[in-house]
Amino acid sequence: MDELLQREHEIMKVCLLAGKIMLQSGAETYRVEDTMMRIAASFGVEHSHSYMTPTGIIFSVEEPQHITRLIRISDRTTNLYKIDRVNTISRSISLGEMTISEAYRSLQDVERAKPNYPMPLLILMSAIASGCFLIMFKGSWYDFIPAALAGGLGFSCSVYMHRVIPVRFFAEFSGAIMIGLAAVWMVKSGFGQQIDIIIISSVMPLVPGLLITNAIRDLMAGHLISGLSKGAEAFITSFAIGAGIAFMLSFY
């Protein structure tokens, strides 16, 4: 019996770590729950239950002894690479290609993995994306560089402020203020023309698009609490972006 209990605890550790990584990386609630239950079933635990919100995971198994555990999720970001790695490990477990200890070590490697791209490259890509959004919104090529500069400055300011003050909404508010300041300065100096399209294009890298999508998908899947929580987070983030832009435009 002691060996069975030990195995049960190890299975729970694997399931919880997989769920933690996926939820922190921006996965949908129903996908996280399904992955955890599939991993447990692959290791012989047929009766498992999972419940989660954006800030916590509750997981329980019924055999050979009823055990329930709770872990707290304090930091959330978007990392599709980690989600894909956990899904790959889950499929390997389902195919019987990994033992419990191997799966846990692989998940620990995924959790400790550094960001796939250096921050200067992310800022550069945000700047290019802002310029491309301007063209997509039928802006002038003359404003491509101003939009790229404003988008890059806004994204870098948001990242820096999040490191200084780990409050997500304040980071987006600061990034939006930087975008508004850059856009107003460039238009007044004659470097840019259409301030509205420059601003709209530059804030796109800050818009919580994945969060909005996941909120809708969770609501459609019946996860009402998670869907409403993510929707509220997306709304407040969008409000922070709009407030920062409105604050700067009040001086325009």
Side-chain angles (χ1 to χ4, degrees), residues 7-247:
R7 176 181 171 83
E8 186 178 32
H9 281 287
E10 291 176 353
I11 293 172
M12 289 195 70
K13 287 172 60 178
V14 172
C15 295
L16 286 170
L17 182 56
K20 176 185 177 182
I21 294 171
M22 294 185 71
L23 201 59
Q24 286 181 331
S25 301
E28 307 94 317
T29 300
Y30 73 89
R31 186 188 301 274
V32 179
E33 291 185 350
D34 181 69
T35 300
M36 294 174 66
M37 295 175 68
R38 285 179 182 272
I39 291 175
S42 299
F43 285 132
V45 180
E46 298 294 338
H47 302 287
S48 63
H49 307 278
S50 60
Y51 176 80
M52 61 194 63
T53 67
T55 57
I57 300 176
I58 301 175
F59 187 70
S60 68
V61 296
E62 297 181 359
E63 298 174 355
Q65 180 176 334
H66 188 87
I67 301 176
T68 301
R69 287 188 178 179
L70 166 69
I71 59 173
R72 176 80 173 176
I73 305 297
S74 57
D75 187 27
R76 297 182 301 279
T77 183
T78 300
N79 194 323
L80 300 182
Y81 172 77
K82 286 190 175 183
I83 297 174
D84 177 69
R85 290 291 303 132
V86 174
N87 285 332
T88 301
I89 294 172
S90 175
R91 285 190 289 269
S92 297
I93 293 172
S94 299
L95 295 174
E97 299 174 352
M98 280 189 175
T99 64
I100 297 175
S101 57
E102 290 174 344
Y104 189 71
R105 285 195 298 269
S106 298
L107 290 170
Q108 285 182 315
D109 292 339
V110 174
E111 185 181 31
R112 291 192 295 261
K114 296 181 179 180
N116 300 332
Y117 307 104
M119 187 53 61
L121 180 60
L122 291 178
I123 295 173
L124 176 62
M125 292 299 103
S126 297
I128 295 175
S130 299
C132 293
F133 274 117
L134 180 128
I135 302 303
M136 188 178 73
F137 295 148
K138 298 182 180 180
S140 171
W141 280 99
Y142 184 82
D143 291 330
F144 182 90
I145 294 180
L149 291 175
L153 287 172
F155 183 81
S156 58
C157 178
S158 176
V159 172
Y160 174 76
M161 292 306 299
H162 183 71
R163 291 178 178 176
V164 175
I165 305 175
V167 178
R168 180 173 182 179
F169 311 120
F170 183 77
E172 269 84 11
F173 178 76
S174 303
I177 288 180
M178 177 60 69
I179 290 173
L181 177 64
V184 168
W185 178 80
M186 284 186 286
V187 170
K188 283 191 173 183
S189 63
F191 188 49
Q193 295 179 340
Q194 298 174 295
I195 188 173
D196 52 345
I197 299 182
I198 292 175
I199 290 176
I200 293 172
S201 305
S202 301
V203 301
M204 292 304 293
L206 302 180
V207 173
L210 181 63
L211 194 61
I212 296 172
T213 302
N214 286 349
I216 296 174
R217 296 186 68 176
D218 283 344
L219 288 172
M220 295 177 65
H223 297 278
L224 301 182
I225 294 179
S226 293
L228 292 174
S229 299
K230 292 179 181 178
E233 184 178 358
F235 173 79
I236 297 176
T237 302
S238 302
F239 177 79
I241 296 172
I245 295 298
F247 177 76

